[in-house]
Amino acid sequence: MGLVTPGLVTPGLITAPYPSPEQRHARLTSAALTCGGEVVTIGTSRDGEPIPAVRVPSRAGSTAPRVLCCANIHGIEYIGVLVALGLLERIDDQAASLRDVAELWVVPCLNPDGYRKTWAAAGDGSLAALRTNAAGVDLNRNFPLPPGQSRRDLPGAGATQPGTATYVGSAPLSEPETYELDRLCAAECFHAAVDLHSFMGTLIPARSIARDQYVAYRELCRAFTLAQPHTRYRRLANRFIDTWTGEQEDHLHHGHRCWAVCVETFSILASFRQHLRAPTRFWRFNPRNPAPWIDNDVPGIVAYFHAALARDRPAAFVDPLMA
């Protein structure tokens, strides 16, 4: 399916400037070439599609700490891909200060099967079909829980029934996409990470029961929001009213000692202002004009990374009942 002319909105189509899977890869390759980054295939998807990342070396040398920007763990959430590519394309401009102190890794599309399914369906379908990978697994419920912790039976926490939008899979890291990301994180020891989603307009830090880490995330999220030029996201967190879900940010924090925050680009209010009744599910999750949201969130990501790099990596997980 080709792109249609910008401004000519045709219900049922994914319109420009959202790229096809092939155009997405071409843009990643171009951005890597422009900034002197290296394209690294971290693994393949359940359907055998490559999962490329771009490694951008730091001017501080090979011993510089590493930071990670990952997007599109949910296939329908295309806006995250463009924010991740926007960060990569600004690494020698608006984000140049980051390159001075850290090595940047960008994985714009962790779920290429979900991205392609969404493209093939023109964004029209159920969340269970468009959110998941080729095996129908919600990759953001497929990460291990911290030692000794369990998942409560709450809406959205993860379902054990195949065919549901939050199906957790047969076992933690059962999917090649999550397994390969876990391997990458173990190898690179990232100091801080963001994973890009839509469309709540919020920042969701890793669940932190320890008070010092909870306070640290409050300050890191504040650094993010203060850098946003027009729409400042609220932090969504509570030390006690929460549950483990097998999400990426929780695993990166507790499994890999990495400051990790989920960024929900594009707000609920903006989504309903755009369409009170969206013509397809795609247009509920993605803005017609991504540019303002890229411009809004890239400075926040850079500020968050700087704030996280000013801190030591988080301590290893301690079961609060055993402390």
Side-chain angles (χ1 to χ4, degrees), residues 62-118:
S62 60
T63 60
R66 290 156 171 77
V67 295
L68 170 68
C69 177
C70 190
N72 198 235
I73 197 169
H74 291 143
I76 194 173
E77 298 171 14
Y78 276 36
I79 181 60
V81 175
L82 295 190
V83 174
L85 290 172
L87 173 64
L88 189 59
E89 291 163 349
R90 289 162 171 77
I91 195 62
D92 285 324
D93 184 16
Q94 293 170 302
S97 62
L98 182 60
R99 191 169 188 175
D100 290 336
V101 295
E103 178 175 293
L104 172 66
W105 284 72
V106 178
V107 184
C109 182
L110 186 63
N111 185 3
D113 296 345
Y115 192 104
R116 188 173 291 279
K117 283 195 297 180
T118 299

Side-chain angles (χ1 to χ4, degrees), residues 18 27 69-71 77-90 106 108 194-198 224 233 263-266 287 290-301:
Y18 291 101
R27 184 167 167 182
C69 177
C70 190
E77 298 171 14
Y78 276 36
I79 181 60
V81 175
L82 295 190
V83 174
L85 290 172
L87 173 64
L88 189 59
E89 291 163 349
R90 289 162 171 77
V106 178
V194 293
D195 50 293
L196 305 177
H197 294 249
S198 65
F224 189 112
Y233 300 155
V263 179
E264 291 269 357
T265 291
F266 187 44
W293 299 96
I294 300 168
D295 293 341
N296 187 64
D297 288 7
V298 167
I301 293 169

Side-chain angles (χ1 to χ4, degrees), residues 208 210 212-213 217 252-259 312-318:
S208 303
D212 60 336
Q213 293 183 4
Y217 272 119
L252 264 60
H253 179 104
H254 296 291
H256 293 286
R257 297 185 55 217
C258 171
W259 297 110
D312 292 335
R313 293 173 66 195
F317 178 77
V318 176

